[in-house]
Amino acid sequence: MALAKGVALITGASQGIGRAIALRLASDGFDVALNDIPVHEALLKTTAQEVVAHGRRAHYVLADVSSEQEVETMVSDVVRVLGGLDVMVANAGISIMKTFVETSAEDLDRILAVNLRGTFLCYKYAGKQMIAQGRGGRIIGACSTSGKQGQPSLSAYCASKFGIRALTQCAALEFGSHGITVNAYAPGPVKTSMWDYLEAGLGTPPGALEEQLSKAAALGRVGVPSDIASLVSFLASKESYLITGQAVCILAHHLLAPFD
Ligand code: NAD
């Protein structure tokens, strides 16, 4: 086995964008740690086996990213088993589609707990570990075009993604002197189980949402998880060394309202 480029930890990695990132980073030469919640253990195991099939070491950790104690333990477990942490991808996220007045305070708390608090905790414990190692690192979060512009029926989700952009900028400013860059991917629509959930909420006929969003997309199509993995591959690489504090849009579309 060739020497690994380093160790990457990806949260929410059992499926969708997280799984694609895990496999891409494995094929880029990273040993890969995978995280998800216990209900997805079987899927997570399969992804871990796929990482091993790429010729890399894999380790998986079940943890809820909204729990400080679980995130702290997850990071130390990955360091103990794989020998360090060089790339943290705080990918785990949930969405909820409800009008503003239907959204309960509990809905907002839940979305913020997983998306915003979870990302904060992953950035914090990855940053602490990378600073202690003294060899720099890459921290990458999951923003969205919903983190750049408000959208109808996605208030809680948009609030969480706007917040992730703030965390990304703040962490970038504080971690930069340690050679750690902090960036986020900010995709338009990508076909995953999150898409299925949003499509079901809209109640549109099969294919109609994809057609509408493809027409609105600058490049004429919606995304698949490997599109995002390709951007993350670059952000995790040495070549992105002078890019930090950015939430990089991918799959831009013109359905965004013209607000500032
Ligand atoms: P997905 O639902 O397919 O996967 C998300 C994963 O996160 C799931 O496996 C889920 O179990 C895991 N997860 C949820 N709560 C967790 C928790 N508390 N702790 C650990 N893991 C948890 O979604 P996806 O489309 O692959 O989205 C991945 C990320 O990309 C999310 O942050 C999402 O907001 C963001 N994103 C998605 C889209 C899209 O259109 N699909 C667009 C922009 C941004």
Side-chain angles (χ1 to χ4, degrees), residues 10-21 35-40 43-44 61-67 70-71 74 90-95 110 113-115 118-119 122 141-147 157 160-161 164 185-198 213 222-223 225 228 250-251:
I10 300 104
T11 67
S14 70
Q15 58 184 338
I17 293 170
R19 173 180 172 274
I21 292 169
N35 150 267
D36 216 298
I37 45 179
V39 70
H40 288 141
L43 287 174
L44 201 56
V61 187
L62 299 173
D64 177 343
V65 295
S66 67
S67 156
E70 290 185 32
V71 172
M74 170 176 75
N91 166 76
I94 56 174
S95 67
R110 193 171 140 258
V114 176
N115 295 5
T119 301
C122 289
C143 187
S144 166
T145 46
S146 302
Y157 183 73
S160 72
K161 296 297 179 181
I164 287 171
Y185 42 96
V190 183
K191 294 198 83 174
T192 65
S193 68
M194 191 175 280
W195 166 294
D196 297 339
Y197 163 79
L198 295 174
L213 293 175
V222 298
I228 314 309
I250 176 166
L251 297 157

Side-chain angles (χ1 to χ4, degrees), residues 88-147:
M88 161 61 91
V89 186
N91 166 76
I94 56 174
S95 67
I96 189 165
M97 184 164 234
K98 285 188 183 177
T99 65
F100 207 107
V101 295
E102 281 171 343
T103 303
S104 66
E106 290 73 26
D107 290 332
L108 180 71
D109 288 348
R110 193 171 140 258
I111 295 278
L112 294 182
V114 176
N115 295 5
L116 190 59
R117 181 182 158 93
T119 301
F120 165 75
L121 293 170
C122 289
Y123 282 17
K124 173 179 168 175
Y125 285 99
K128 245 180 131 172
Q129 175 61 29
M130 289 173 186
I131 289 168
Q133 288 173 179
R135 59 176 193 243
R138 298 278 183 265
I139 297 178
I140 300 165
C143 187
S144 166
T145 46
S146 302

